[in-house]
Amino acid sequence: MIDDESSPARAHLHVVPTGTVRPAAHPLLSSTDWGATTLGHPDQWPRALTSSVAMMMDSLMPMWLAWGPELAMVYNEPYSAMLGGKHPAAVGAPLQQVWAEIWPDLEALVSTTLQGRGLYREDLPLLINRHGHTEQAWFTFSFTPLRDDAGRIQGLICTVWETTEKVLKLRRLNESESQFQTLFERIDEGFCVIEFFDGPHGPLSDYVHILANPAYAANAGIPNVVGQKVREMVPDEADGWVEIYRNVLLSGVPVRFERELERTGRYLELAAFRIEPAERQQVAVLFQDVTQRHRTEQALRELNDTLERRVQEELDHRMRTEDALRQSQKMEAVGQLTGGIAHDFNNMLAVVVSSLDLLARKYLKDDALAMRYVDAARNGTKRAAQLTQRLLAFSRQQPLKPEALNVNKLVAGMSDLLRHSMGGAIELESVLAGGLWRTHADPNQLENAILNLAVNARDAMPEGGQLTIETVNAYLDERYASEQIGLVAGQYVMVAVSDTGSGMAPDVMARAFDPFFTTKEVGRGTGLGLSQVYGFVKQSGGHVKIYSEPGQGTTVKIYLPRLLNAPEDEVVASATVPMPLSDGQETVLVVEDEESVRLSSIEALTELGYRVLAAEGGEAALKLIDAHPEIALLFADVVMPGMNGRKLADEVRKRRPDLRVLFTTGYTRNAVVHNGVLDPGVELLGKPFTLDELAARVRAVLDKPD
């Protein structure tokens, strides 16, 4: 028996002389009215109970004991915290009363222990009420039987650990691990853990897969990867993979990279980090298949390139459109100038031509030498008239007589003319499309355009070559038409004239349609051939384009609008007849503001046998109409100050609906010609005109049936 009361093991007991151990003044013991309990006063406790209580009170572990028939409880201070609100009333109270809510769970354990069998229960779940409400808690119990001095079992002692926090943490950990395992198994990203080892290639020269999820096999294309070594899996690629992951292992620096799998052509994005501690020589690799993303990025790059290209194309398109607009404005300005010049020049030529015709007819027809001079003058005026016609053609102001036209037949009919014009050194070929649409154009002007192009082609092939004339049905789309000012998208008949000659430089091609521009030496061309073609085509609602490269020849393409619902009947040219004269009974009223032209017209009509009246303007002409009902024909200039020829004709028809009208003009931008085409029912004689032309046209108008 230890009799040192200062001993830590006996801090709460007093040792009495008779050897009986008694409880000291411990708060849990001294504050209890033991007389009111089944245990009685501690001085009366059996030695075994006193010893057990002393041992329990000195323990740092939560402990309680129950003794006697009622199993009255005694517990230490660490256990009091587990009791919560049940303390201190639980001291000396029956065990079944203290833990009534869990007694069904404890009864079997207590009963077994009282039968002499110690028990250990770990993490036993119990629904306890210790704070005024029921709560789930977990405890680990160690039950030991307690015997009296005679060796009979009188109770039990329990060491208890509350494991609620541990159990909950473990449960959360298990749930987390379960979630991780589920995620690990189901995520689309591949995940694996690799472990390095020393191989035949040196230290840390190979690794084995010790963990891998299903996505790894799917993304890497390698099934059953766990346990496989990289040098056995992909021997051709192993060095690269080993180097990347070994650097991560040795440096501890995570890495992220993208790599293409050579065997599958797929792209993977990978991340790798070292698993601590480093001595484990393990690296984790949370990779994914980014082939779709890679392809999407590639598609985006291609789309970006396409957008950049389209933007550049749009800028180029806009520049071409602006260039075309500037060219169109330039041509329009030059056209207005040349048209005005041609008008004045034609009036002057009209006087000269008429005077020469009258001079030859009335005074010089028997004088051969004089007639030679007259013929020379006539040739000069003819060439001058052709020059003004070309100017008018370029300025889109010549009067056209369009008709339903079979271009194949027109080209075929020009065969002999073209062969004679080309000479023997040039081979001529025609490629005519089957089923060629008809167009609505002036056949004479189209012939002139083709001939002009052929002559230019001939001059570009001084050593000989090949000239090809081709026809085809064509469609000009909205995109192309938008770059050409005034061009309407749609169906066209295309005539192309191609040569194998010297071709054109870009700066020459840009000015090819300008009037008076030529690359020929002085005296070999006026520079109006292509200008005339340009004006005729534009005036006909068409389009003309040059394709050429130096040394590669030139192709000029003419596009004329398709004529829908074209009649099948061809227009038959009328036969040439002798100069028709009047019988002297028909009266013509000449209305012309320019005196010299008016006088020459009077003399010419008089020479043809007509009676002639004349007026210098519209107002004077109306007075003559009212005063002379015998007037059979109004021969009026269109362009006059005040009342122009068209307005005069409208006023005349109010008075004389049956009066025939023949207009004359050297300039077609006026009231009787629109878009280069004569208004329906209008008869026009262009200036300058010969006596034969005047006689034929006047006679045709007078003899035209009503």
Side-chain angles (χ1 to χ4, degrees):
M1 178 65 66
I2 299 176
D3 56 4
D4 184 359
E5 292 186 0
S6 65
S7 173
R10 294 290 181 248
H12 303 296
L13 296 177
H14 291 285
V15 180
V16 296
T18 59
T20 302
V21 181
R22 295 179 179 178
H26 190 282
L28 288 176
L29 301 176
S30 61
S31 61
T32 302
D33 182 7
W34 293 104
T37 69
T38 59
L39 292 176
H41 195 275
D43 291 342
Q44 306 300 320
W45 290 355
R47 185 180 181 88
L49 175 60
T50 302
S51 298
S52 295
V53 169
M55 181 273 295
M56 179 181 69
M57 300 303 289
D58 288 337
S59 176
L60 297 177
M61 298 296 296
M63 297 179 68
W64 59 266
L65 63 79
W67 184 273
E70 299 294 329
L71 294 178
M73 287 189 70
V74 182
Y75 50 86
N76 63 4
E77 187 173 357
Y79 183 74
S80 64
M82 293 186 187
L83 288 167
K86 296 178 183 290
H87 173 73
V91 179
L95 177 64
Q96 183 176 356
Q97 175 184 322
V98 175
W99 292 112
E101 70 273 18
I102 60 173
W103 185 248
D105 298 303
L106 293 178
E107 184 177 15
L109 300 174
V110 171
S111 177
T112 299
T113 304
L114 292 176
Q115 292 175 11
R117 292 167 50 191
L119 292 174
Y120 179 81
R121 290 291 183 270
E122 188 171 4
D123 299 330
L124 183 66
L126 297 172
L127 288 172
I128 62 175
N129 188 337
R130 55 183 172 182
H131 297 296
H133 61 272
T134 300
E135 60 182 286
Q136 178 72 61
W138 285 264
F139 300 89
T140 294
F141 297 99
S142 176
F143 293 98
T144 303
L146 286 179
R147 301 176 185 271
D148 61 13
D149 296 338
R152 294 185 298 268
I153 296 176
Q154 297 295 334
L156 72 162
I157 188 167
C158 177
T159 302
V160 58
W161 300 268
E162 183 169 358
T163 59
T164 300
E165 185 176 355
K166 183 199 79 171
V167 169
L168 292 177
K169 285 183 178 180
L170 184 61
R171 179 173 290 182
R172 287 193 294 269
L173 179 61
N174 290 337
E175 290 176 354
S176 177
E177 288 181 352
S178 177
Q179 292 173 352
F180 170 78
Q181 187 64 30
T182 301
L183 182 64
F184 182 75
E185 295 291 333
R186 295 182 180 179
I187 58 174
D188 294 333
E189 288 77 11
F191 184 90
C192 71
V193 176
I194 60 175
E195 187 170 83
F196 277 86
F197 60 90
D198 297 342
H201 295 76
L204 304 179
S205 62
D206 203 353
Y207 61 79
V208 64
H209 294 79
I210 62 174
L211 183 67
N213 66 348
Y216 180 98
N219 287 333
I222 302 175
N224 305 319
V225 70
V226 175
Q228 293 197 54
K229 301 173 182 176
V230 69
R231 294 194 179 277
E232 295 174 353
M233 291 168 50
V234 285
D236 295 339
E237 303 176 38
D239 287 341
W241 293 112
V242 168
E243 181 180 1
I244 293 172
Y245 296 143
R246 183 172 55 191
N247 288 338
V248 173
L249 177 68
L250 296 178
S251 68
V253 178
V255 66
R256 181 181 294 273
F257 61 99
E258 187 175 292
R259 188 156 181 169
E260 181 183 10
L261 298 183
E262 298 177 4
R263 58 190 177 281
T264 64
R266 299 161 69 192
Y267 288 86
L268 297 182
E269 183 181 65
L270 303 100
F273 58 92
R274 184 174 69 191
I275 297 178
E276 300 298 340
E279 291 75 14
R280 299 173 68 179
Q281 300 188 155
Q282 292 179 352
V283 173
V285 182
L286 285 187
F287 61 87
Q288 61 179 333
D289 188 335
V290 293
T291 303
Q292 183 65 35
R293 188 189 74 188
H294 193 274
R295 290 173 178 169
T296 300
E297 291 174 350
Q298 179 64 26
L300 289 174
R301 285 192 294 269
E302 293 176 356
L303 177 60
N304 185 61
D305 292 342
T306 299
L307 289 175
E308 290 181 354
R309 185 173 65 254
R310 290 182 62 184
V311 168
Q312 187 59 50
E313 289 175 352
E314 187 61 32
L315 290 175
D316 294 343
H317 168 73
R318 183 171 298 181
M319 291 181 64
R320 289 193 297 270
T321 302
E322 291 174 353
D323 288 343
L325 177 60
R326 286 192 292 270
Q327 179 70 7
S328 175
Q329 291 171 337
K330 180 188 74 172
M331 300 295 268
E332 183 69 20
V334 175
Q336 291 180 7
L337 174 62
T338 55
I341 293 173
H343 168 256
D344 293 338
F345 200 39
N346 275 338
N347 274 342
M348 291 184 285
L349 285 175
V351 176
V352 175
V353 170
S354 178
S355 298
L356 288 172
D357 285 346
L358 291 173
L359 182 63
R361 182 179 178 86
K362 295 177 65 174
Y363 304 109
L364 303 175
K365 60 182 177 180
D366 295 327
D367 188 336
L369 181 59
M371 284 301 297
R372 285 176 57 192
Y373 295 132
V374 169
D375 288 339
R378 281 175 169 171
N379 287 334
T381 56
K382 183 177 181 180
R383 291 179 61 188
Q386 290 174 342
L387 180 62
T388 58
Q389 283 302 111
R390 290 185 174 186
L391 290 173
L392 288 172
F394 163 72
S395 60
R396 288 174 269 175
Q397 294 163 13
Q398 62 177 335
L400 300 179
K401 295 181 180 178
E403 59 187 60
L405 188 60
N406 184 327
V407 176
N408 277 352
K409 186 170 291 187
L410 181 141
V411 172
M414 293 181 66
S415 177
D416 290 340
L417 173 62
L418 290 172
R419 291 186 190 281
H420 286 106
S421 301
M422 295 299 99
I426 295 177
E427 178 184 352
L428 178 63
E429 180 182 7
S430 296
V431 182
L432 306 181
L436 189 69
W437 298 324
R438 293 200 177 191
T439 186
H440 194 238
D442 188 318
N444 292 328
Q445 294 300 327
L446 180 56
E447 281 187 352
N448 286 338
I450 294 174
L451 184 59
N452 266 321
L453 295 177
V455 170
N456 278 348
R458 178 199 65 191
D459 294 343
M461 299 182 287
E463 305 299 324
Q466 180 171 326
L467 176 70
T468 303
I469 300 179
E470 179 184 6
T471 63
V472 71
N473 294 329
Y475 179 80
L476 301 182
D477 60 22
E478 295 284 352
R479 176 74 176 182
Y480 181 81
S482 66
E483 297 179 357
Q484 315 299 324
I485 303 302
L487 180 61
V488 178
Q491 296 175 325
Y492 289 81
V493 175
M494 190 272 285
V495 184
V497 178
S498 303
D499 64 61
T500 58
S502 56
M504 300 183 189
D507 60 326
V508 173
M509 193 162 51
R511 299 185 59 195
F513 291 128
D514 291 1
F516 303 111
F517 175 77
T518 180
T519 58
K520 300 174 183 178
E521 59 267 26
V522 177
R524 291 204 58 193
T526 62
L528 287 172
L530 286 177
S531 301
Q532 185 176 3
V533 172
Y534 175 88
F536 157 68
V537 174
K538 291 296 184 181
Q539 193 173 350
S540 300
H543 176 61
V544 59
K545 185 71 175 179
I546 299 178
Y547 301 87
S548 184
E549 291 184 18
Q552 301 298 317
T554 299
T555 296
V556 181
K557 294 183 177 181
I558 293 174
Y559 297 86
L560 296 173
R562 178 188 182 184
L563 176 63
L564 298 175
N565 303 318
E568 292 298 326
D569 295 334
E570 298 286 343
V571 177
V572 179
S574 57
T576 302
V577 296
M579 181 187 294
L581 302 177
S582 174
D583 59 3
Q585 302 301 312
E586 296 165 305
T587 302
V588 177
L589 173 60
V590 174
V591 185
E592 170 65 62
D593 62 300
E594 191 164 329
E595 183 179 8
S596 59
V597 179
R598 184 172 67 251
L599 292 176
S600 65
S601 297
I602 293 172
E603 292 180 6
L605 288 167
T606 301
E607 177 65 21
L608 295 174
Y610 295 98
R611 297 178 58 199
V612 182
L613 297 174
E616 63 180 6
E619 296 295 336
L622 289 176
K623 292 179 181 179
L624 289 173
I625 292 291
D626 292 337
H628 295 274
E630 72 275 14
I631 295 175
L633 175 69
L634 173 64
F635 183 47
D637 188 17
V638 178
V639 182
M640 294 186 297
M643 183 184 299
N644 63 33
R646 184 57 183 264
K647 291 182 179 179
L648 171 61
D650 291 341
E651 290 297 324
V652 167
R653 287 196 175 97
K654 294 178 182 178
R655 295 168 166 80
R656 295 274 306 276
D658 58 337
L659 183 61
R660 304 299 174 89
V661 178
L662 174 61
F663 292 106
T664 183
T665 185
Y667 182 65
T668 64
R669 182 164 291 182
N670 49 51
V672 299
V673 177
H674 292 91
N675 297 322
V677 179
L678 289 175
D679 293 343
V682 171
E683 298 289 346
L684 178 68
L685 177 61
K687 298 177 183 177
F689 48 81
T690 66
L691 194 60
D692 286 338
E693 291 171 338
L694 177 63
R697 185 54 63 85
V698 170
R699 192 73 263 156
V701 173
L702 286 172
D703 294 342
K704 186 177 181 180
D706 293 332

